[in-house]
């Protein structure tokens, strides 16, 4: 559950804005391989602040991985502006390189905003495969689908969000396999061919060339991550 930083830590309101050095690596609480993700310094001159809201992520990293199979999560989503809930499969090892070369799967991503929010509120969720040769060439837009419910939203009760993943296809579903959301098949062509990765007529090197699999990078073990994020400055897709 998200909490206010000034109520759940010793960091004061003034320190959130200026003069506080937060270093989770030094305290042994850093869970990221990147030190830059776990350390920051609040400075009112530069506008760098400590996040005023803390939120959490639960994951099976280092404890449980999956390569092909079925995953289901039953949950009731939180309501509120600036809240983003996600259920993801993340590569256990960056076999093909940094994201999105090694891929990631959004089983479910949902904003907590009211349904009147122009970009979509808590009455619609999306399922997405992220894959590409670089961050700027993430071909998620080729493999994204949404599901909307009417007369209610996903915060009013419990729903089951699932994924079925094989070497031949990936599909996500809502409240049972009958209600398919996203379907991506790999029998007809590889993701490399689907992506059409060219830049001014120059073809990018294929990071998945040595795999021999049409579904690469989704041919490696992934772990499950459940998160609730609050606030952001980056674009939500």
């Amino acid at each position: 559950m998200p909490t206010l930083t000034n109520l759940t830590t010793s960091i004061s309101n003034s320190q959130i804005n200026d003069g506080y050095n937060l270093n989770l690596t030094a305290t042994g609480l850093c869970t990221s391989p990147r030190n830059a993700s776990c350390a920051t310094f609040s400075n009112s001159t530069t506008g760098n602040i400590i996040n005023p809201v803390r939120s959490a992520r639960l994951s099976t990293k280092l404890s449980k991985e999956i390569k092909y199979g079925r995953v289901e999560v039953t949950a009731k989503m939180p309501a509120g502006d600036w809240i983003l809930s996600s259920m993801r499969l993340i590569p256990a090892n960056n076999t093909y390189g940094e994201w999105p070369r090694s891929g990631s799967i959004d089983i479910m991503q949902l904003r907590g905003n009211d349904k009147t929010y122009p970009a979509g509120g808590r009455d619609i969720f999306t399922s997405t495969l992220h894959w590409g040769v670089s961050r700027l060439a993430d071909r998620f837009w080729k493999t994204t689908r949404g599901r909307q419910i009417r007369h209610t939203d996903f915060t009013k009760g419990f729903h089951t969000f699932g994924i079925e993943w094989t070497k031949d296809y990936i599909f996500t579903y809502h409240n049972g396999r009958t209600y398919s959301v996203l379907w991506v098949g790999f029998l007809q062509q590889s993701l490399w061919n689907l992506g059409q990765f060219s830049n001014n007529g120059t073809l990018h090197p294929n990071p998945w060339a040595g795999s021999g699999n049409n579904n690469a990078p989704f041919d490696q073990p992934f772990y499950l991550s459940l998160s609730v994020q609050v606030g952001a400055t980056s674009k939500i897709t």
Side-chain angles (χ1 to χ4, degrees):
M1 182 178 67
T3 59
L4 294 174
T5 300
N6 67 336
L7 296 182
T8 53
T9 73
S10 60
I11 304 174
S12 67
N13 276 344
S14 61
Q15 289 173 327
I16 284 176
N17 291 288
D18 190 67
Y20 191 88
N21 183 24
L22 177 64
N23 191 330
L24 298 181
T25 302
T27 60
L29 297 176
C30 181
T31 58
S32 171
R34 299 176 63 250
N35 289 336
S37 299
C38 293
T40 188
F41 184 82
S42 58
N43 188 309
S44 59
T45 302
T46 62
N48 188 50
I49 68 170
I50 306 294
N51 288 339
V53 179
R54 301 196 304 165
S55 58
R57 176 175 61 190
L58 302 177
S59 83
T60 65
K61 186 177 183 180
L62 303 180
S63 62
K64 184 65 176 180
E65 302 168 0
I66 182 174
K67 176 186 173 183
Y68 308 144
R70 186 184 301 173
V71 176
E72 291 185 347
V73 179
T74 299
K76 182 167 68 171
M77 297 295 101
D81 294 348
W82 297 102
I83 293 179
L84 180 68
S85 302
S86 301
M87 300 174 184
R88 293 189 174 110
L89 289 175
I90 300 174
N93 305 291
N94 285 332
T95 302
Y96 301 110
E98 294 297 322
W99 187 91
R101 288 180 174 234
S102 293
S104 64
I105 303 171
D106 295 345
I107 302 172
M108 185 284 305
Q109 191 173 73
L110 174 80
R111 294 183 180 89
N113 301 73
D114 184 80
K115 64 181 180 180
T116 59
Y117 187 65
R122 52 184 177 262
D123 60 329
I124 183 171
F125 77 88
T126 56
S127 293
T128 303
L129 301 187
H130 290 274
W131 49 285
V133 297
S134 69
R135 290 179 178 270
L136 294 178
D138 179 8
R139 292 296 193 259
F140 72 91
W141 48 273
K142 287 179 173 283
T143 50
T144 297
R145 295 293 184 276
R147 177 166 176 80
Q148 186 175 27
I149 55 176
R150 301 184 182 279
H151 312 302
T152 184
D153 62 56
F154 291 100
T155 71
K156 303 300 185 186
F158 284 85
H159 295 261
T160 297
F161 307 90
I163 182 173
E164 189 167 297
W165 172 26
T166 76
K167 185 176 181 180
D168 298 330
Y169 62 83
I170 290 176
F171 88 87
T172 64
Y173 54 89
H174 167 232
N175 286 346
R177 296 176 69 255
T178 304
Y179 300 100
S180 176
V181 180
L182 170 69
W183 171 280
V184 181
F186 308 115
L187 289 176
Q188 301 301 319
Q189 65 176 334
S190 67
L191 286 176
W192 171 253
N193 289 333
L194 176 63
Q196 298 178 321
F197 298 103
S198 63
N199 183 13
N200 296 325
T202 301
L203 196 66
H204 291 276
N206 182 355
W208 314 305
S211 70
N213 296 320
N214 278 358
N215 66 332
F218 303 106
D219 60 346
Q220 302 293 320
F222 281 59
Y223 65 87
L224 179 65
S225 173
L226 310 177
S227 67
V228 176
Q229 303 170 51
V230 181
T233 56
S234 59
K235 180 180 179 182
I236 297 173
T237 57

